[in-house]
Amino acid sequence: MNTDGMTEDEINARHAEKMAKKKAVRDRMLAGKTIEKGLLIVHTGKGKGKSTAAFGMVLRSIGHGFRTGVVQFVKGSWDTGERHVLERFPDLVTIAAMGEGFTWETQDRERDIAAARAAWEAAKAMIRDPSYRLVLLDELNIVLRYDYLPVDEVVAFLRDEKPADTHVIVTGRNAKDELIEIADLVTEMTMIKHPFRDGVKAQAGIEF
């Protein structure tokens, strides 16, 4: 907007006119959005923030009084800040921390597969339970990447058996194409800079 030679009142009036037009367009757009449904949400990519954003949705959910479930497929042994917070709401949040760490930590494929299977069974039970409004499957993409669970099985369940009004969030880098295909909302976190590359270790309150 070129404001050369305009008075402050003229600038303000032009701004108000421009914003009024934007609001009218926005209102027309929102008027056509009438569907309410449970979403399948995928957070993936190499950048930081996949689980962080998902736990933000968990906090929103419990803020509205919705019962919420969390299944951690990898970080089960981590002493995370989010778990300490959510455990203060036992009537609204169920946390199943079932992972045993990343595969390079356990170095035992059969053990990893067994842990992934147990976590998946817990996840299915939560998703089937109509009392849960939102279920977070944290780092499920990791176990799918290593083929610890059959992707076809996971996709079929989320596509065909997820209740229509239940939200499910899946996190982890390298999301499978089959999962992305059936998802309603997919966000890819892109890494531009990360302090880890400069020798900064994972820190409480930032990474966990």
Side-chain angles (χ1 to χ4, degrees), residues 123-129 135 137 157-158 161-163 166 168:
K124 289 192 293 183
M126 284 187 189
I127 293 169
R128 287 186 176 121
D129 186 337
V135 178
L137 309 181
F157 178 86
L158 294 175
E161 297 191 48
K162 180 183 77 66
T166 301
V168 174

Side-chain angles (χ1 to χ4, degrees), residues 143-185:
V143 302
L144 293 177
R145 177 188 180 188
Y146 287 106
D147 297 320
Y148 294 160
L149 291 172
V151 65
D152 291 344
E153 175 188 342
V154 172
V155 166
F157 178 86
L158 294 175
R159 182 189 61 222
D160 302 330
E161 297 191 48
K162 180 183 77 66
D165 57 353
T166 301
H167 303 298
V168 174
I169 311 173
V170 178
T171 70
R173 61 173 62 190
N174 300 114
K176 294 280 190 178
D177 290 340
E178 297 94 327
L179 182 63
I180 291 174
E181 179 65 27
I182 66 166
D184 299 288
L185 172 61

Side-chain angles (χ1 to χ4, degrees), residues 15 31 36 47 60-61 64 68 87 110 123 151 153 175 193 198:
H15 175 79
E36 185 171 343
R60 284 179 174 172
S61 181
H64 287 286
T68 303
E87 285 174 348
E110 290 186 0
V151 65
E153 175 188 342
K193 294 180 71 175
D198 295 324

Side-chain angles (χ1 to χ4, degrees), residues 1 11-29:
M1 182 172 68
I11 293 172
N12 290 337
R14 180 179 290 188
H15 175 79
E17 180 182 2
K18 184 177 180 180
M19 293 303 107
K21 289 179 180 178
K22 283 192 172 185
K23 185 178 186 305
V25 171
R26 180 76 176 174
D27 289 346
R28 287 196 298 271
M29 180 182 71

Side-chain angles (χ1 to χ4, degrees), residues 8 44 47 66 81 99 102 131 138 162 166 177 208:
E8 192 70 17
T44 192
F66 299 143
F102 292 101
S131 69
D138 192 35
K162 180 183 77 66
T166 301
D177 290 340
F208 59 91

